[in-house]
Amino acid sequence: RDLHRMITDECRYSRMESRMQEDGEEIAAETTSCSAFSEASESHRFLLAGIACLDIINVCPRYPAEDDDMRAVDQEWRRGGNSSNSSCVLTQLPGSRCSLLATLPSEGWETEYVEADLERHLVNLEYCARHENCRLPTSYVVLSQATGSRTIVHYRKLPNLVVADFARIPLQNFSWIHFEARNVEEVEKMIECVEAFRKTQPHHRLTLSVEVEKKRPETYPLLGRGDVVFVSKDVALELGCDNAETAVKQLHSRCRDTAVLVCAWGSRGADAYSRASGHVHCDAFPPASLVDTLSAGDTFNAGVMYALESGASLAD
């Protein structure tokens, strides 16, 4: 109970601090509209549909063997989830606003903790779907100092997004919509909503992107549903590609003819392909010292989305 009270108080303080730091213009905008993401907002307006979760990270000298008893050298609690992480990157980039569409428990200290951090990064949460008698998803992460690997055990007791959650969102308020490949049947319906909107609003520029990260064959048809598609190294390997160049060239046949396909390959950099631009490769730029690899892919995806939305070429 004391821990719950302490974390709840910290979350409330963080929210107050974040609101106090907002400038007068943003506060005025919020008082005149229930949404800070109207057509008059900054030009880069992103909606990311996926998950938000709590990451409990144990930094260990090495990955433990089965039935091992090991002391962690450090521990951190952090907000996690692919779309959650990418949203917080996007809001730090010039002229960018970002809304997160995720399911969240209606109460609980874990939710308070994660919401406070998202609000601190100015991520809009007004479209999130709330559920009672649920728990926020939790990822238990082991980071190995020996190899830099991260191993994740994920626990979830919360409904996935459904099309009804998406249908109430004013799509005209956005210029880019991104989906994680999960709960495929419902995501397919959400994408149909986007396509229907684009047919009725042909002059509204709205880019659709999809991330296919997990080795789940039922998600692979979503490779064919985005204008920009991110495919992971794990999925590429599962589909018979042993490097990023092969992946983007071979797997593009599963995508729309006009799509951009992007694949990051860790220390080997990243590759992309579109019929208009051909194959593009970018080397990795390793830091002087590796802090951790958690959320590296989410950061990369956000950077690509922001660059393409800003008018950069695929080579850029």
Side-chain angles (χ1 to χ4, degrees):
R1 286 195 299 269
D2 289 341
L3 177 62
H4 175 277
R5 189 180 301 110
M6 179 181 69
I7 292 176
T8 300
D9 288 346
E10 179 182 349
C11 292
R12 287 171 179 163
Y13 174 78
S14 178
R15 287 180 177 179
M16 289 174 62
E17 185 180 49
S18 176
R19 288 167 184 160
M20 289 173 66
Q21 289 174 348
E22 292 177 345
D23 61 35
E25 182 178 354
E26 288 179 323
I27 293 172
E30 289 184 2
T31 60
T32 56
S33 171
C34 63
S35 171
F37 295 81
S38 66
E39 289 291 347
S41 296
E42 285 87 341
S43 58
H44 311 307
R45 293 164 287 123
F46 296 89
L47 173 67
L48 274 63
I51 69 166
C53 67
L54 175 67
D55 287 348
I56 300 177
I57 305 157
N58 287 305
V59 181
C60 299
R62 56 174 174 78
Y63 184 77
E66 186 175 0
D67 204 29
D68 203 353
D69 186 348
M70 178 182 293
R71 185 183 294 271
V73 299
D74 196 11
Q75 186 183 78
E76 181 182 357
W77 289 20
R78 189 188 302 175
R79 169 203 40 76
N82 293 18
S83 290
S84 165
N85 293 332
S86 294
S87 294
C88 290
V89 174
L90 286 165
T91 56
Q92 297 177 61
L93 300 174
S96 176
R97 289 293 189 100
C98 191
S99 292
L100 176 65
L101 173 62
T103 56
L104 294 173
S106 56
E107 59 184 5
W109 65 264
E110 301 102 324
T111 304
E112 289 269 356
Y113 183 88
V114 167
E115 283 185 341
D117 191 66
L118 287 164
E119 290 179 355
R120 183 172 65 84
H121 285 88
L122 302 181
V123 176
N124 181 39
L125 302 178
E126 67 176 296
Y127 303 122
C128 289
R130 309 285 175 163
H131 295 273
E132 296 182 353
N133 303 316
C134 295
R135 286 185 58 189
L136 190 76
T138 305
S139 290
Y140 301 89
V141 185
V142 177
L143 287 180
S144 168
Q145 289 183 317
T147 64
S149 69
R150 89 282 188 275
T151 304
I152 302 172
V153 177
H154 187 72
Y155 172 77
R156 181 180 184 89
K157 187 181 178 182
L158 183 70
N160 281 306
L161 288 169
V162 295
V163 68
D165 301 324
F166 185 80
R168 57 191 172 81
I169 295 176
L171 300 185
Q172 68 272 16
N173 288 358
F174 300 95
S175 57
W176 190 296
I177 297 179
H178 175 78
F179 294 97
E180 293 180 38
R182 55 178 73 241
N183 198 22
V184 176
E185 184 177 346
E186 294 298 315
V187 170
E188 289 272 15
K189 295 176 184 177
M190 296 180 210
I191 291 174
E192 289 301 324
C193 291
V194 176
E195 297 294 5
F197 171 81
R198 296 205 288 194
K199 287 180 180 178
T200 60
Q201 303 289 334
H203 301 297
H204 182 91
R205 183 171 59 86
L206 181 59
T207 302
L208 170 62
S209 63
V210 177
E211 178 192 21
V212 182
E213 181 196 27
K214 307 296 185 184
K215 294 186 291 184
R216 298 171 184 157
E218 67 273 17
T219 68
Y220 298 166
L222 291 177
L223 289 166
R225 299 309 307 269
D227 304 315
V228 178
V229 180
F230 299 93
V231 63
S232 70
K233 174 183 175 182
D234 287 345
V235 170
L237 289 169
E238 181 77 3
L239 293 176
C241 305
D242 60 3
N243 61 73
E245 180 178 356
T246 300
V248 295
K249 288 181 176 179
Q250 289 190 6
L251 299 182
H252 196 273
S253 61
R254 296 173 177 252
C255 301
R256 295 176 177 177
D257 192 59
T258 57
V260 172
L261 179 60
V262 182
C263 182
W265 210 272
S267 61
R268 296 185 183 179
D271 290 64
Y273 179 83
S274 72
R275 300 209 186 280
S277 301
H279 169 250
V280 175
H281 171 78
C282 181
D283 289 334
F285 296 89
S289 61
L290 181 65
V291 178
D292 72 54
T293 59
L294 199 63
S295 305
D298 305 329
T299 303
F300 172 81
N301 290 352
V304 173
M305 285 189 276
Y306 180 81
L308 294 178
E309 165 62 11
S310 300
S313 68
L314 193 55
D316 295 334

